[in-house]
Amino acid sequence: MSDTTQMLKGILDGCLLAIIKEGEIYGYELAAKLESYGFHSLSEGTIYPLLLRMQKEALISATLRKSTAGPKRKYYTLTGKGEQELELFIGRWEQVSSSVDNVLNKKGDMKNGLKGV
């Protein structure tokens, strides 16, 4: 597993839920969308196990549909539980990304009066 994939491990679920919330989507299309957002190091082998787990957890639902090009495709949609999980993820992400930004930009020392500690 690459360093980037390891770092993204907990973040991918939220990203997948956010993309699926936009509308029904199948796996390959989901992988292509992630790549268009800059997730170049992810393979479908990384994405499909996450989708399967999220389906088992009832965060997403899947429907098999005919395809004009080959076998049936599994289309994913967000469930009510998935929407709730996405909202929780967004809140956690905002908090974590803000904290990391503060560390990287050394904003915390000044805010808390800990200059020079």
Side-chain angles (χ1 to χ4, degrees):
M1 186 178 285
S2 76
D3 292 342
T4 303
T5 303
Q6 183 64 34
M7 185 181 280
L8 291 174
K9 192 174 180 185
I11 297 169
L12 281 176
D13 285 5
C15 292
L16 290 170
L17 291 173
I19 292 170
I20 294 169
K21 184 178 179 173
E22 295 172 8
E24 191 174 62
I25 190 168
Y26 63 94
Y28 179 78
E29 187 180 20
L30 190 52
K33 220 169 215 199
L34 279 170
E35 186 165 345
S36 77
Y37 286 124
F39 292 95
H40 303 294
S41 62
L42 299 178
S43 68
E44 289 176 49
T46 301
I47 296 167
Y48 284 109
L50 297 175
L51 292 170
L52 185 59
R53 183 181 44 75
M54 288 193 292
Q55 192 176 349
K56 286 179 180 177
E57 293 174 0
L59 301 175
I60 60 174
S61 61
T63 307
L64 279 177
R65 297 242 169 84
K66 288 182 184 177
S67 169
T68 56
K72 290 182 177 181
R73 291 182 177 155
K74 191 181 276 192
Y75 285 84
Y76 300 96
T77 54
L78 210 56
T79 63
K81 185 178 177 183
E83 287 191 34
Q84 290 174 342
E85 183 60 32
L86 177 58
E87 291 305 313
L88 289 171
F89 169 80
I90 290 169
R92 290 188 306 258
W93 174 252
E94 288 172 350
Q95 184 177 7
V96 167
S97 63
S98 174
S99 297
V100 170
D101 185 52
N102 287 340
V103 169
L104 296 178
N105 294 301
K106 298 177 181 22
K107 292 179 182 174
D109 293 347
M110 302 300 218
K111 279 187 191 173
N112 299 318
L114 300 175
K115 188 175 180 181
V117 173

